[in-house]
């Protein structure tokens, strides 16, 4: 039974705890039931996660939660699934005291979170993230969303959870590419905010690659702390502080759009984007060869593919510009000036962006 939260996240209307412990999945149910009070528990999960961890989680519940099983994958963040879930909640006569448990990766967290934000004008939600990406990123910060066919995450809400329960031991069943996708976001956090974590990653690549649990606990906790600090300063993405979390994402999102979502995991596209951003920062004299080399080497040692795609650079640049036009602005890059620190750079010469992509797609990073 977790007694002490690993971390408390503050937001405009209160705060919530993050519990972090290996083996927590087997005990979280009892704890969550105490929180739920008289409200009914609804567990929303996907079929992969339910097969692996459904029994272990439900065994720890004394009540009989409603379990809603969703097909795995990004396509489930849809209006169809959203309305299917809401219909089920109504059929079960679930009222405003309902407590939704999002048991799964970022897809389940976003979908179940959005249902919670909107069902009966809002019911409580608890995040139980089961992928590395969701444990270090999406379960903290209160963003929830579903997709329309023409745009990702375009319908959503800020909706803070009551608590987050993280069990790093469940990561052992992740496909290797899902694990390294999450790791890319860990490296991103280190580059933008924490030199010490970057050095820790450099000195413990073997432990990270072997999924050593104390090492993972330390890294996940630190990422949650850092993300919490950033979102506490900019809960609704208004001050611009939250933008630094997009390091590597300007190039990365363009790769996902041009080559097709799902061609490679999100984190891998971000890693390629981080490498391109580092090359761009070097062209602007913000960092030197050593920075580019260090970041690339760490990504490679963690088995994260970071070499930029060698072709379609024109299309990638057009996509970056189109995305920004939609946001009524110009392309803004988050660029490093040293390990642990980034700055926002507007109006970059397009010639340099093309050159950075060229350099980032070369075989040798420096
Ligand atoms: N809300 C936010 O702030 C935020 C931030 C980043 C990303 N996201 C969203 O997160 C989503 C991606 O999340 P994701 O990468 O976790 O993908 P995901 O939820 O699709 O999970 C990836 C795969 O892993 C499986 N899986 C989950 N846990 C497992 C486990 N422990 N063992 C074995 N398999 C497991 C899932 O069934 C799925 O097939 C995207 O939709 C993205 O938009 C949201
Ligand atoms: Zn990301």
């Amino acid at each position: 039974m977790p007694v002490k939260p690993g971390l408390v996240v503050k937001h405009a209307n209160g705060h919530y705890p993050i519990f972090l412990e290996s083996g927590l999945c087997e005990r979280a149910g009892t704890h969550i039931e105490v929180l739920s009070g008289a409200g009914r528990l609804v567990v929303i999960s996907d079929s992969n996660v339910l097969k692996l961890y459904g029994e272990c989680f439900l065994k720890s519940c004394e009540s009989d939660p409603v379990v809603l099983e969703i097909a795995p994958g990004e396509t489930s963040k849809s209006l169809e699934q959203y309305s299917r879930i809401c219909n089920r909640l109504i059929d079960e006569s679930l009222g405003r005291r309902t407590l939704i448990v999002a048991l799964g990766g970022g897809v389940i967290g976003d979908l179940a979170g959005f249902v919670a934000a909107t069902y009966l004008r809002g019911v409580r939600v608890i995040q139980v993230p089961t992928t590395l990406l969701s444990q270090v990123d999406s379960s903290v910060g209160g963003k929830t969303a579903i997709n329309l066919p023409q745009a990702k995450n375009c319908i959503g809400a800020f909706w803070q959870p009551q608590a987050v329960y993280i069990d790093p031991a469940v990561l052992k069943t992740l496909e290797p590419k899902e694990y390294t996708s999450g790791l890319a976001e860990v490296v991103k956090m280190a580059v933008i905010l924490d030199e010490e974590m970057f050095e820790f990653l450099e000195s413990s690549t073997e432990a990270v690659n072997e999924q050593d649990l104390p090492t993972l606990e330390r890294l996940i906790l630190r990422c949650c702390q850092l993300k919490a600090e950033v979102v506490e300063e900019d809960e609704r993405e208004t001050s611009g502080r939250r933008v630094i979390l997009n390091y590597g994402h300007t190039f990365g999102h363009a790769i996902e759009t041009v080559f097709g979502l799902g061609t490679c995991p999100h984190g891998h596209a971000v890693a390629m984007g981080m490498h391109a951003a580092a090359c761009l920062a070097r062209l602007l004299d913000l960092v030197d060869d050593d920075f580019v080399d260090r970041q690339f080497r760490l990504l490679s040692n963690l088995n994260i593919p970071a070499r930029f795609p060698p072709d379609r650079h024109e299309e990638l640049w057009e996509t970056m510009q189109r995305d920004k036009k939609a946001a009524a602005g110009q392309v803004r890059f988050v660029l490093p000036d040293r390990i642990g620190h980034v700055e926002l750079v507007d109006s970059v010469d397009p010639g340099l962006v093309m050159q950075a992509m060229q350099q980032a797609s070369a075989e040798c990073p420096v």
Side-chain angles (χ1 to χ4, degrees), residues 153-168:
N153 294 332
C154 63
I155 301 180
F158 287 98
W159 194 247
Q160 305 294 342
Q162 299 296 303
V164 182
Y165 289 77
I166 300 178
D167 179 357

Side-chain angles (χ1 to χ4, degrees), residues 168 200 205 224 234 348:
F200 176 71
T205 49
C224 290
D234 186 17
V348 179

Side-chain angles (χ1 to χ4, degrees), residues 65-334:
V66 176
V67 180
L68 300 184
E69 180 175 322
I70 309 297
E74 186 70 27
T75 47
S76 285
K77 270 175 59 173
S78 64
L79 273 175
E80 292 73 26
Q81 287 293 355
Y82 167 74
S83 75
R84 203 192 118 226
I85 297 171
C86 292
N87 280 318
R88 271 294 301 278
L89 300 183
I90 292 182
D91 289 347
E92 299 275 350
S93 308
L94 293 164
R96 301 196 66 172
R97 292 165 82 178
T98 303
L99 180 64
I100 292 180
V101 177
L103 174 67
V107 164
I108 290 298
D110 277 12
L111 172 67
F114 184 62
V115 169
T118 47
Y119 180 67
L120 303 181
R121 299 196 183 85
V123 297
R124 298 168 300 166
V125 64
I126 284 192
Q127 296 284 350
V128 186
T130 62
T131 61
L132 183 56
L133 183 130
S134 56
Q135 294 187 349
V136 298
D137 190 351
S138 59
S139 64
V140 180
K143 276 192 183 178
T144 71
I146 56 173
N147 306 326
L148 286 183
Q150 61 273 36
K152 201 170 137 63
N153 294 332
C154 63
I155 301 180
F158 287 98
W159 194 247
Q160 305 294 342
Q162 299 296 303
V164 182
Y165 289 77
I166 300 178
D167 179 357
V170 303
L171 303 178
K172 65 181 181 296
T173 49
L174 275 184
E175 275 189 44
K177 69 173 176 12
E178 297 294 349
Y179 180 65
T180 53
S181 175
L183 272 185
E185 301 280 2
V186 176
V187 175
K188 176 199 79 178
M189 279 299 200
V191 175
I192 64 174
L193 288 164
D194 191 345
E195 184 178 13
E196 212 180 296
M197 178 160 74
F198 192 92
E199 286 164 358
F200 176 71
L201 282 164
E202 285 182 317
S203 63
S204 37
T205 49
E206 211 172 301
V208 176
N209 293 339
E210 285 169 3
Q211 298 199 14
D212 170 63
L213 287 175
T215 306
L216 280 180
E217 280 173 23
R218 175 172 168 174
L219 288 170
I220 296 167
L221 180 66
R222 186 67 187 134
C223 285
C224 290
Q225 258 168 359
L226 291 168
K227 178 140 187 206
E229 278 168 28
V230 173
V231 299
E232 276 169 20
E233 279 179 48
D234 186 17
E235 191 176 326
R236 289 185 169 247
E237 221 161 41
T238 44
S239 78
R241 178 69 180 147
R242 218 166 158 149
V243 175
I244 64 165
L245 298 172
N246 284 341
Y247 176 52
H249 284 63
T250 306
F251 288 107
H253 283 151
I255 292 174
E256 289 181 305
T257 306
V258 169
F259 293 92
L261 270 176
T263 317
C264 71
H266 171 72
H268 294 182
V270 171
M272 294 169 201
M274 284 163 55
H275 184 42
C279 291
L280 183 56
R282 180 174 56 183
L283 288 166
L284 293 166
D285 279 332
L286 294 170
V287 295
D288 57 11
D289 286 350
D290 184 54
F291 178 98
V292 180
D293 184 38
R294 248 180 108 186
Q295 181 186 265
F296 188 84
R297 203 155 2 123
L298 177 59
L299 291 165
S300 303
N301 289 344
L302 295 171
N303 302 314
I304 309 165
R307 201 173 148 199
F308 202 80
D311 50 4
R312 303 177 77 175
H313 293 176
E314 289 281 355
E315 277 172 85
L316 289 166
W317 174 233
E318 280 161 23
T319 306
M320 287 181 243
Q321 286 172 299
R322 212 174 30 241
D323 282 359
K324 286 308 136 184
K325 264 195 207 115
Q330 48 186 335
V331 184
R332 164 175 281 187
F333 288 97
V334 179

